[in-house]
Amino acid sequence: MNKRILVTGGTGFIGSHTVVELQQKGFDVVIADNLSNSFEEVVDRIAKITGVRPDFEKTELKDASQVNAIFDKYPDIQGVIHFAASKAVGESVQKPLMYYHNNLTSLMNVLDAMLSHNVHHIVFSSSCTVYGQPDKLPVSESSPRKKALSPYGNTKAMCEDIITDVAKVNDMDAILLRYFNPIGAHESGLIGEYPQGVPNNLIPYLTQTAAGIRKCLSVYGNDYNTPDGTGIRDYIHVVDLAKAHVVAIERMLDNKCKSKTEIFNIGTGHGYSVLDIINSFEKVNDIKINYQIVGRREGDIEQVWADTTYANNELGWKAERDLDDMMLTSWNWEKSRIEN
Ligand code: UD1
């Protein structure tokens, strides 16, 4: 019998790619999502890719009774991958209570339901945002967390703490995956990121500029202390990131965890500047991007990239897709949306 995993936020960007990878590894999946930032059609698209339709429950995770109802309906759930969260940094500054309610209450309801239904394993989507601007690069898991610059970043650190405290005194283990910058899309062109409104993040703004939806990409600052002056990030292909979740859940199901809560950096270990990204995009897709240098964006850090040694050695996972692949699939995804 297949093992079943509950994927909260499973119709979202990273969630949908993870559902595909889980199914391709033989897991049964039930998705819980309130569709606040995604579409139910994603479930059909996942089915097109994998040949299997995951179960889908439209669920408001802030409502404990709805969370319990899922665990009651699917008593074979063996583990949870918890993606469901609000993630817009700027919006979180404007609407802090919404972010604390959405991100903290949902997590606590999921943990409560796991305890009352004897589900022992949780993978949580954390972020490199918890490191702030690290003192030393590349940044490893043992680097100190720094005070978050936004309520969004705060919720990631607070969720890490809540999970750690709960796992410590219960029959539960947890893996916290600290993602760097997830980009790219599935090679099928059927799933990817659906930004709503004007994108805040670099890649959707870039692809929308290439598509003519936006006139000009603003590069936020070229006076950073980096080789070309623009900010540096560790961009990781969403399919590589999705595969890390499968490895993490398998590790817990096989009882291989070395502590109740384990933390892994999920990046490539390479830093690329904003101009590197634009150059790679232009080269692999043979398109010129209209861009201009503007002032720095408030709250941005200068540079960060991951030390992935621990994840590579301990999880036996390594990012395999390079920057060109990320740029190709990001553009394919944008084009497929224009065509449909
Ligand atoms: C932010 C969050 C991160 C979150 C991620 C995805 C922080 C510090 N970071 O990452 O936690 O996981 O979004 O939601 O909270 N840039 C431009 N022009 C643009 C957009 C971005 O030049 O129009 C630059 C930025 O200055 C930065 C780089 O591109 O140097 C990446 O920015 P972005 O894609 O927004 O991601 P982060 O800010 O790194």
Side-chain angles (χ1 to χ4, degrees), residues 247-265:
V247 174
I249 204 84
E250 284 175 336
R251 177 179 175 88
M252 290 197 282
L253 292 170
D254 295 343
N255 289 319
K256 286 189 183 150
C257 294
K258 296 208 164 134
S259 58
K260 299 280 282 182
T261 299
E262 293 186 314
I263 303 177
F264 296 100
N265 278 348

Side-chain angles (χ1 to χ4, degrees), residues 89 127 129 152 181 200-202 218 220 233 235 297 300:
V89 178
S127 166
T129 196
Y152 158 78
N181 287 51
N200 293 309
N201 296 118
L202 177 61
S218 295
Y220 296 134
R233 299 289 184 273
Y235 296 91
R297 179 172 69 175
D300 267 350

Side-chain angles (χ1 to χ4, degrees), residues 98-228:
M98 182 184 125
Y99 271 68
Y100 291 120
H101 276 305
N102 277 353
N103 295 3
L104 303 183
T105 311
S106 300
L107 170 69
M108 290 189 285
N109 285 341
V110 168
L111 291 171
D112 261 334
M114 287 175 66
L115 292 178
S116 60
H117 292 79
N118 290 314
V119 177
H120 307 297
H121 312 295
I122 182 165
V123 178
F124 175 67
S125 44
S126 190
S127 166
C128 70
T129 196
V130 301
Y131 297 121
Q133 176 60 65
D135 301 322
K136 216 178 107 211
L137 288 167
V139 64
S140 77
E141 292 83 352
S142 57
S143 302
R145 290 191 327 199
K146 294 207 173 152
K147 175 146 180 47
L149 292 172
S150 68
Y152 158 78
N154 241 342
T155 66
K156 288 296 172 193
M158 291 163 94
C159 286
E160 285 195 347
D161 290 344
I162 291 169
I163 293 170
T164 305
D165 289 345
V166 172
K168 195 183 204 172
V169 293
N170 287 287
D171 184 5
M172 183 182 284
D173 48 28
I175 293 185
L176 314 178
L177 299 181
R178 289 179 177 162
Y179 316 152
F180 284 66
N181 287 51
I183 61 168
H186 196 264
E187 60 179 13
S188 63
L190 287 167
I191 53 172
E193 190 175 13
Y194 286 94
Q196 302 207 342
V198 181
N200 293 309
N201 296 118
L202 177 61
I203 301 307
Y205 207 106
L206 174 76
T207 57
Q208 290 193 9
T209 307
I213 301 167
R214 312 280 156 207
K215 279 206 176 74
C216 180
L217 170 71
S218 295
V219 174
Y220 296 134
N222 67 348
D223 57 351
Y224 285 111
N225 186 23
T226 61
D228 65 21

Side-chain angles (χ1 to χ4, degrees), residues 38-98:
S38 60
F39 304 96
E40 193 169 346
E41 197 205 328
V42 170
V43 181
D44 302 327
R45 290 172 170 237
I46 292 171
K48 253 190 208 158
I49 296 170
T50 63
V52 183
R53 194 180 162 81
D55 288 297
F56 173 74
E57 301 290 337
K58 183 162 190 273
T59 314
E60 184 46 73
L61 295 176
K62 289 200 294 288
D63 177 351
S65 66
Q66 292 189 36
V67 182
N68 278 306
I70 293 199
F71 284 85
D72 290 341
K73 184 169 173 185
Y74 300 92
D76 55 342
I77 291 173
Q78 308 246 321
V80 178
I81 305 183
H82 183 56
F83 292 105
S86 302
K87 61 170 188 179
V89 178
E91 184 186 47
S92 79
V93 176
Q94 298 306 320
K95 300 177 183 167
L97 266 180
M98 182 184 125

Side-chain angles (χ1 to χ4, degrees), residues 206 210 272 274-291 322-329 331 335:
L206 174 76
Y272 290 104
V274 178
L275 293 181
D276 289 334
I277 295 288
I278 295 172
N279 291 336
S280 166
F281 186 91
E282 289 186 333
K283 186 191 75 185
V284 302
N285 296 310
D286 198 19
I287 297 177
K288 277 276 162 222
I289 294 294
N290 188 25
Y291 73 89
D322 64 13
L323 191 59
D324 288 356
D325 197 350
M326 298 182 217
M327 294 301 121
L328 263 178
T329 54
W331 180 227
K335 280 191 298 188

